[in-house]
Amino acid sequence: GSSGSSGDNMEAVKTFNSELYSLNDYKPPISKAKMTQITKAAIKAIKFYKHVVQSVEKFIQKCKPEYKVPGLYVIDSIVRQSRHQFGQEKDVFAPRFSNNIISTFQNLYRCPGDDKSKIVRVLNLWQKNNVFKSEIIQPLLDMAAGSGPSSG
């Protein structure tokens, strides 16, 4: 691996974080323009994709219930943009998000009841477009149906 000092390049991550957390200043549903801003910031910070993914996961974990779905839309938007721009094989975001995807969705399902259908819709789209493997998505869909994981 190449080791270099990651100096001011972490600026990109800071920028992304401030874009992401500025969601809290908006009332859902979040505008397309805002999503695009967040997504662009994420792609700019692609060298630090691990930080980006971690930030989104933390946001979803800590945000108010009505921001769970916008958090999911951020994941969706980043992954699709990355795949579009760099190609499916080179996309680093989807594999990284799939590492903790179960706990991320446990947090997502703490949303208001009528928001659950929006989460399921995204999952169905992901399945259709092969964004994540079926074996990743199926448990998440089951979770929605059972609404809540069986073990803790």
Side-chain angles (χ1 to χ4, degrees):
S2 59
S3 66
S5 67
S6 65
D8 295 341
N9 295 340
M10 288 294 284
E11 282 306 314
V13 177
K14 284 192 195 121
T15 303
F16 171 75
N17 284 340
S18 59
E19 284 292 350
L20 178 65
Y21 281 90
S22 73
L23 277 179
N24 292 316
D25 307 331
Y26 295 78
K27 254 184 94 64
I30 307 298
S31 72
K32 258 230 168 76
K34 186 67 199 158
M35 280 297 167
T36 304
Q37 267 180 309
I38 295 171
T39 306
K40 276 190 175 145
I43 300 293
K44 261 202 181 113
I46 191 152
K47 274 203 191 104
F48 305 100
Y49 69 94
K50 293 176 184 167
H51 293 278
V52 171
V53 169
Q54 199 178 19
S55 294
V56 177
E57 288 171 350
K58 205 169 276 178
F59 175 83
I60 287 170
Q61 187 186 342
K62 296 204 157 63
C63 68
K64 296 191 189 103
E66 63 268 27
Y67 289 100
K68 302 293 184 192
V69 168
L72 172 62
Y73 289 163
V74 168
I75 296 180
D76 179 54
S77 185
I78 291 173
V79 168
R80 282 192 302 167
Q81 179 59 32
S82 172
R83 285 161 67 98
H84 173 74
Q85 212 166 311
F86 306 107
Q88 195 169 335
E89 303 74 42
K90 293 211 172 74
D91 169 45
V92 292
F93 286 107
R96 189 69 189 180
F97 274 117
S98 63
N99 286 353
N100 298 319
I101 203 152
I102 297 289
S103 57
T104 299
F105 271 79
Q106 283 169 349
N107 289 319
L108 282 169
Y109 285 130
R110 296 197 185 122
C111 62
D114 38 342
D115 274 6
K116 283 214 172 108
S117 61
K118 295 176 187 164
I119 297 176
V120 171
R121 195 184 307 148
V122 171
L123 284 170
N124 286 325
L125 278 173
W126 284 355
Q127 204 162 24
K128 204 176 78 180
N129 300 323
N130 298 318
V131 176
F132 294 97
K133 295 190 184 77
S134 289
E135 56 262 34
I136 290 175
I137 291 176
Q138 201 48 57
L140 305 177
L141 287 168
D142 295 346
M143 221 190 278
S147 129
S150 45
S151 68

